[in-house]
Amino acid sequence: MLAAARSTETDSENFKWPPEGVTRAPFRLFTDPDIYKLEQQRIFRGRVWNFLCLDVDIPNPGDYKTTSVGETPVVATRDGEGKIHAMVNRCAHKGALVCLKKKDNVSSLTCVYHAWNYGLDGRLKSVAFRNGVRGQGGMPEDFDVSQHRLQPLKVENFCGIIFGTFVPDMESVETYLGPEMSSFIKRNLGRPLRVLGTHSQIIHNNWKLYAENLRDSYHATLLHTFYTTFKVNRLDMDGGIVLSDRKWHHVSFARRAEMTEAAEYRESNVHSAGYDSALEGPGLLAAWEEFDDGITHSIQTVFPNMCIQFTLNSLAIRFFAPRGTSETELFWIYLGYDRDTEEQSQMRVMQSNLTGAAGLVSLEDGCINEFVQRGTRADPQCASFMEMGGRKVESEKNSRATETAVRGAVVGTL
Ligand SMILES: [Fe+2]
């Protein structure tokens, strides 16, 4: 994740990663515009698979959905044969956005500026006034529409997720993820999906602080007292962290049924922990078991900017796009399965109140990363300290009192 920071190509000629390595994250990573520019090339256009959309977002021929890869506007389409394509959403003429809506259904893609028209695969089909008007003007004789198109991305559909990459010879998504990450995605998403709802929010922090927050199992039950109080997710439950072979991706998991209350929670000065609180509507947490592995809470990250959350019956994908050094757009996609009963769908919708911009749990993340952004911006030469769980970067299958996954995101490209 942090490869860009090691470069001497930044203005900050004297910048060196702290000698402690992956247990430190220099604060300049969150504010330096040169690092931000390098990330666009080296991370988002580098050897990664980026989340674009879901297969069910564009089910019909002619459907499109717009998104972004880093700062680059991208559109995913389904053509007349059902094949999915993804292209930079930028006209080959003057560079204007071509697709302007979040989603639409069209027979072809036309730029509103000069009416250049493209097929659903991004190939240029026609140019307005190509032969001029009344014999005057027009394109040169040697103008060839086949030489112009919307810049394509390589795409792959993995478990209903459409991933895209700028690297033509990129390995498969399954290879990129590794066997353990792939199989956990198949566990959660390997059946027909139904989108229950979406929303997005702007968070006022660098995108990497959110990437870090998702991998930070240490904070989850300290900051999020709803989790702790109502025993949705606690570190005294059976659980752990699995890192991918490359360390870039991770799964954090817990089993709600297996908990022996640890004294450390009462001794840790957890902020306003309402241990005696009760829910007026306890049905919120009356979940059914989805799988026979006992896992009732999981957060899985896919590098660089995607997460799959499964808390009780609340299944969601989050992805987050950088909007400058200190703003990030965070998207939430709440999912169910096509086979769900109406009652199950309603339960998933109710539990979606746990997460999101105003959720009972994750509203705190929306502000805590901003607290870090505001706390660190004056001192780019300082660094965070990440030695919880030791200094190693390995899976911890029996503990989540660790920052190993955060270190993993650093070590992957350091
Ligand atoms: Fe959190």
Side-chain angles (χ1 to χ4, degrees):
M1 164 164 68
L2 308 175
R6 69 187 166 181
S7 171
T8 54
E9 292 168 33
T10 66
D11 286 342
S12 323
E13 284 293 317
N14 296 323
F15 173 52
K16 296 254 186 322
W17 199 278
E20 295 87 350
V22 297
T23 61
R24 302 291 188 276
F27 291 160
R28 73 175 334 115
L29 298 178
F30 309 126
T31 52
D32 188 328
D34 294 320
I35 290 173
Y36 183 82
K37 272 187 224 160
L38 287 169
E39 287 167 353
Q40 298 300 315
Q41 288 303 319
R42 296 191 182 183
I43 295 179
F44 296 103
R45 291 183 182 229
R47 295 197 72 90
V48 301
W49 281 105
N50 296 279
F51 173 84
L52 299 182
C53 65
L54 297 174
D55 189 52
V56 290
D57 285 329
I58 46 173
N60 303 309
D63 284 346
Y64 79 65
K65 185 161 195 310
T66 52
T67 183
S68 62
V69 170
E71 290 208 325
T72 307
V74 167
V75 59
T77 63
R78 190 181 296 273
D79 70 17
E81 280 74 55
K83 189 174 175 200
I84 290 175
H85 305 267
M87 294 81 70
V88 175
N89 183 18
R90 180 175 63 220
C91 186
H93 177 214
K94 299 295 287 289
L97 296 174
V98 176
C99 299
L100 303 177
K101 296 182 180 175
K102 287 181 182 170
K103 289 174 83 166
D104 203 355
N105 183 275
V106 292
S107 56
S108 62
L109 311 175
T110 303
C111 178
V112 293
Y113 200 176
H114 301 90
W116 282 36
N117 179 255
Y118 302 87
L120 291 162
D121 60 359
R123 290 177 203 276
L124 182 61
K125 288 167 56 175
S126 64
V127 168
F129 307 145
R130 177 181 175 178
N131 299 316
V133 176
R134 295 193 182 120
Q136 300 294 314
M139 287 292 184
E141 279 288 305
D142 60 357
F143 176 76
D144 180 359
V145 288
S146 72
Q147 298 302 305
H148 304 268
R149 57 160 298 143
L150 302 180
Q151 183 185 345
L153 280 74
K154 182 175 181 172
V155 292
E156 189 179 320
N157 180 348
F158 181 77
C159 273
I161 306 172
I162 310 303
F163 287 99
T165 179
F166 280 93
V167 176
D169 67 346
M170 187 68 187
E171 65 266 29
S172 71
V173 171
E174 192 151 0
T175 304
Y176 176 69
L177 293 170
E180 286 183 299
M181 295 299 116
S182 298
S183 67
F184 204 72
I185 291 181
K186 287 175 187 168
R187 170 199 188 264
N188 291 337
L189 304 181
R191 60 189 72 156
L193 300 170
R194 191 190 305 169
V195 176
L196 299 176
T198 63
H199 62 78
S200 69
Q201 65 189 109
I202 294 290
I203 49 179
H204 300 272
N205 56 265
N206 185 275
W207 71 276
K208 297 187 296 301
L209 286 173
Y210 198 78
E212 181 181 311
N213 176 265
L214 288 168
R215 290 167 169 83
D216 179 354
S217 49
Y218 180 21
H219 91 281
T221 71
L222 298 171
L223 176 66
H224 305 307
T225 51
F226 186 94
Y227 269 164
T228 319
T229 304
F230 297 107
K231 300 181 172 58
V232 176
N233 173 33
R234 294 168 53 116
L235 296 192
D236 43 13
M237 290 174 180
D238 179 37
I241 308 278
V242 182
L243 299 186
S244 66
D245 296 343
R246 288 172 163 171
K247 326 290 188 193
W248 296 8
H249 326 294
H250 97 296
V251 176
S252 170
F253 64 91
R255 296 181 174 91
R256 191 186 186 194
E258 294 176 38
M259 194 189 93
T260 44
E261 195 148 341
E264 284 85 349
Y265 274 99
R266 287 187 184 273
E267 294 162 4
S268 291
N269 291 324
V270 177
H271 75 93
S272 32
Y275 291 115
D276 300 322
S277 304
L279 283 175
E280 277 191 30
L284 173 69
L285 300 180
W288 75 91
E289 285 229 9
E290 302 265 2
F291 301 98
D292 57 12
D293 56 13
I295 293 173
T296 48
H297 169 76
S298 64
I299 294 284
Q300 177 170 26
T301 55
V302 175
F303 186 86
N305 58 344
M306 179 197 168
C307 158
I308 301 164
Q309 152 215 314
F310 213 151
T311 297
L312 304 179
N313 308 114
S314 177
L315 175 61
I317 287 176
R318 308 176 205 170
F319 96 102
F320 42 104
R323 302 285 186 241
T325 56
S326 50
E327 286 205 343
T328 300
E329 191 164 7
L330 173 59
F331 298 86
W332 302 77
I333 305 163
Y334 296 98
L335 297 168
Y337 300 125
D338 208 35
R339 66 175 192 192
D340 285 348
T341 63
E342 185 53 34
E343 199 180 10
Q344 286 174 318
S345 290
Q346 287 304 315
M347 192 62 183
R348 292 193 203 280
V349 169
M350 184 159 69
Q351 288 182 15
S352 71
N353 289 301
L354 294 170
T355 57
L360 293 164
V361 175
S362 64
L363 83 170
E364 290 103 343
D365 293 318
C367 66
I368 199 68
N369 294 304
E370 182 182 340
F371 293 171
V372 178
Q373 189 82 23
R374 287 163 56 189
T376 60
R377 65 190 172 196
D379 289 294
Q381 75 283 3
C382 295
S384 58
F385 176 88
M386 304 182 294
E387 297 193 0
M388 178 57 67
R391 301 184 183 96
K392 58 188 184 299
V393 192
E394 301 296 337
S395 295
E396 286 278 0
K397 296 201 174 171
N398 298 308
S399 171
R400 290 173 298 143
T402 174
E403 291 168 314
T404 190
V406 182
R407 291 190 291 272
V410 179
V411 81
T413 52
L414 194 64

